[in-house]
mmCIF file of all heavy atoms in Angstrom:
data_model
loop_
_atom_site.group_PDB
_atom_site.id
_atom_site.type_symbol
_atom_site.label_atom_id
_atom_site.label_comp_id
_atom_site.label_asym_id
_atom_site.label_seq_id
_atom_site.Cartn_x
_atom_site.Cartn_y
_atom_site.Cartn_z
ATOM 1 N N GLN A 80 4.311 16.233 -9.080
ATOM 2 C CA GLN A 80 3.339 15.460 -8.301
ATOM 3 C C GLN A 80 2.035 15.318 -9.070
ATOM 4 O O GLN A 80 1.441 14.243 -9.102
ATOM 5 C CB GLN A 80 3.089 16.118 -6.938
ATOM 6 C CG GLN A 80 2.045 15.408 -6.097
ATOM 7 C CD GLN A 80 2.420 13.981 -5.732
ATOM 8 O OE1 GLN A 80 3.515 13.725 -5.258
ATOM 9 N NE2 GLN A 80 1.523 13.052 -5.965
ATOM 10 N N GLN A 81 1.585 16.393 -9.708
ATOM 11 C CA GLN A 81 0.333 16.338 -10.479
ATOM 12 C C GLN A 81 0.468 15.353 -11.641
ATOM 13 O O GLN A 81 -0.439 14.553 -11.890
ATOM 14 C CB GLN A 81 -0.020 17.734 -11.016
ATOM 15 C CG GLN A 81 -1.307 17.765 -11.812
ATOM 16 C CD GLN A 81 -2.518 17.384 -10.977
ATOM 17 O OE1 GLN A 81 -2.672 17.862 -9.855
ATOM 18 N NE2 GLN A 81 -3.373 16.537 -11.494
ATOM 19 N N ALA A 82 1.590 15.388 -12.343
ATOM 20 C CA ALA A 82 1.821 14.452 -13.447
ATOM 21 C C ALA A 82 1.833 13.021 -12.926
ATOM 22 O O ALA A 82 1.307 12.108 -13.569
ATOM 23 C CB ALA A 82 3.134 14.784 -14.160
ATOM 24 N N SER A 83 2.413 12.810 -11.755
ATOM 25 C CA SER A 83 2.452 11.482 -11.149
ATOM 26 C C SER A 83 1.044 10.963 -10.905
ATOM 27 O O SER A 83 0.734 9.805 -11.205
ATOM 28 C CB SER A 83 3.240 11.532 -9.840
ATOM 29 O OG SER A 83 3.222 10.295 -9.183
ATOM 30 N N GLN A 84 0.185 11.793 -10.365
ATOM 31 C CA GLN A 84 -1.198 11.383 -10.103
ATOM 32 C C GLN A 84 -1.934 11.086 -11.404
ATOM 33 O O GLN A 84 -2.706 10.141 -11.477
ATOM 34 C CB GLN A 84 -1.928 12.477 -9.317
ATOM 35 C CG GLN A 84 -1.417 12.626 -7.911
ATOM 36 C CD GLN A 84 -1.975 13.860 -7.207
ATOM 37 O OE1 GLN A 84 -2.534 14.744 -7.827
ATOM 38 N NE2 GLN A 84 -1.778 13.914 -5.903
ATOM 39 N N ASN A 85 -1.684 11.884 -12.432
ATOM 40 C CA ASN A 85 -2.388 11.724 -13.700
ATOM 41 C C ASN A 85 -1.955 10.475 -14.467
ATOM 42 O O ASN A 85 -2.742 9.916 -15.222
ATOM 43 C CB ASN A 85 -2.195 12.953 -14.586
ATOM 44 C CG ASN A 85 -2.885 14.180 -14.015
ATOM 45 O OD1 ASN A 85 -3.743 14.081 -13.141
ATOM 46 N ND2 ASN A 85 -2.502 15.341 -14.499
ATOM 47 N N LEU A 86 -0.712 10.034 -14.287
ATOM 48 C CA LEU A 86 -0.203 8.894 -15.054
ATOM 49 C C LEU A 86 -0.216 7.575 -14.278
ATOM 50 O O LEU A 86 0.107 6.533 -14.828
ATOM 51 C CB LEU A 86 1.210 9.187 -15.571
ATOM 52 C CG LEU A 86 1.291 10.303 -16.612
ATOM 53 C CD1 LEU A 86 2.745 10.579 -16.986
ATOM 54 C CD2 LEU A 86 0.471 9.988 -17.848
ATOM 55 N N ALA A 87 -0.572 7.630 -12.998
ATOM 56 C CA ALA A 87 -0.673 6.392 -12.214
ATOM 57 C C ALA A 87 -1.855 5.588 -12.729
ATOM 58 O O ALA A 87 -2.848 6.174 -13.144
ATOM 59 C CB ALA A 87 -0.854 6.724 -10.736
ATOM 60 N N PRO A 88 -1.799 4.297 -12.758
ATOM 61 C CA PRO A 88 -0.785 3.379 -12.263
ATOM 62 C C PRO A 88 0.181 2.891 -13.343
ATOM 63 O O PRO A 88 0.862 1.898 -13.142
ATOM 64 C CB PRO A 88 -1.627 2.216 -11.751
ATOM 65 C CG PRO A 88 -2.738 2.131 -12.744
ATOM 66 C CD PRO A 88 -3.033 3.578 -13.119
ATOM 67 N N ASN A 89 0.250 3.589 -14.477
ATOM 68 C CA ASN A 89 1.066 3.119 -15.597
ATOM 69 C C ASN A 89 2.536 3.520 -15.521
ATOM 70 O O ASN A 89 3.369 2.933 -16.213
ATOM 71 C CB ASN A 89 0.471 3.617 -16.908
ATOM 72 C CG ASN A 89 -0.942 3.135 -17.091
ATOM 73 O OD1 ASN A 89 -1.210 1.950 -16.943
ATOM 74 N ND2 ASN A 89 -1.856 4.044 -17.371
ATOM 75 N N VAL A 90 2.848 4.523 -14.708
ATOM 76 C CA VAL A 90 4.215 5.021 -14.561
ATOM 77 C C VAL A 90 4.416 5.353 -13.089
ATOM 78 O O VAL A 90 3.511 5.888 -12.447
ATOM 79 C CB VAL A 90 4.439 6.294 -15.414
ATOM 80 C CG1 VAL A 90 5.866 6.804 -15.278
ATOM 81 C CG2 VAL A 90 4.092 6.050 -16.874
ATOM 82 N N ARG A 91 5.593 5.037 -12.571
ATOM 83 C CA ARG A 91 5.916 5.436 -11.192
ATOM 84 C C ARG A 91 6.839 6.649 -11.245
ATOM 85 O O ARG A 91 7.676 6.775 -12.137
ATOM 86 C CB ARG A 91 6.578 4.294 -10.431
ATOM 87 C CG ARG A 91 5.638 3.119 -10.287
ATOM 88 C CD ARG A 91 5.959 2.231 -9.132
ATOM 89 N NE ARG A 91 7.291 1.683 -9.153
ATOM 90 C CZ ARG A 91 7.836 1.043 -8.120
ATOM 91 N NH1 ARG A 91 7.177 0.878 -7.004
ATOM 92 N NH2 ARG A 91 9.048 0.544 -8.205
#
Side-chain angles (χ1 to χ4, degrees):
Q80 177 62 50
Q81 181 63 45
S83 176
Q84 291 170 346
N85 292 344
L86 293 176
N89 301 310
V90 181
R91 296 204 302 169

